[in-house]
Amino acid sequence: MENRQEFWPDGIQGAVSLTFDDGHETHIQNAIPTLDRHGLKGTFYINPGRGANWESLLPEWKKASVDGHEMGNHTCDHPCSCNFRFHDDYCLEKLSLDDIADTIDRATTAMDEAFPEQKGNRSYCYPCYQSHVGSGSNRQSYVPVVAQRFKVGRGGGERANNPDLIDLSYVWSWAVEDVSGQKLIDYVEKAVEQGQWAIICMHGIGGGHLAISTEALAEACDHLARHRDRIWTDTAIGVTDYIIDRRSELRIQAP
Ligand SMILES: [Zn+2]
């Protein structure tokens, strides 16, 4: 496929997904109101049961889901490499594929109950962008565990996604910290110029860890809203559903 813009619906040059990790309270305070004001939908990767404020935030997540934002599965326990020293025993090099399946499936059970309107159609997000268990000659990819359960898993990576080439079980995202709205716009424009799917990974918005300012997000949202006739902004699962159908229509088999 020479011109990937032909992959998208008429007039659309490329797609964008705005994703927010870790169920941070600034997503409710700052990100969702900004998206709503611009008529845009985001994907929020949450960890059911994790953190002191899980119970108090849950009604807000439920409202966001009913309003059409995607609640994505980020596991219950957020396992990352032991090298982070988040937990001495519960970390990827010490876990098995069964351990990963367990923390993913418990999150799915909780989310099916909390967000019935999703009907189980949601994306996965790899904690810390990592997709392995074990180490050295015993290291294994857990991407197959995700592929058996989800249409799409969001990881990290250097580039935007080519819709005909990317492995949907591990799509790439640009993890931002302290960037301007103009930088976000530049990244999106470069991606859609090539007919790609740009996924932005954000953490704190206007506060919290790895934060960008609410003003930067608002500037990017303003651009996306004004150019919605040529840039398609949707949830990770929304864009994925389109990609799967379009690949089948065009008889594209991704490698
Ligand atoms: Zn995370």
Side-chain angles (χ1 to χ4, degrees), residues 21-22 47 74 78 125-128 203:
D21 292 21
D22 302 339
N47 312 100
H74 200 33
H78 205 280
C125 176
Y126 293 87
C128 301
H203 289 81

Side-chain angles (χ1 to χ4, degrees), residues 197-211:
W197 176 23
I199 306 178
I200 312 234
C201 161
M202 289 165 275
H203 289 81
I205 300 296
H209 66 307
L210 308 172

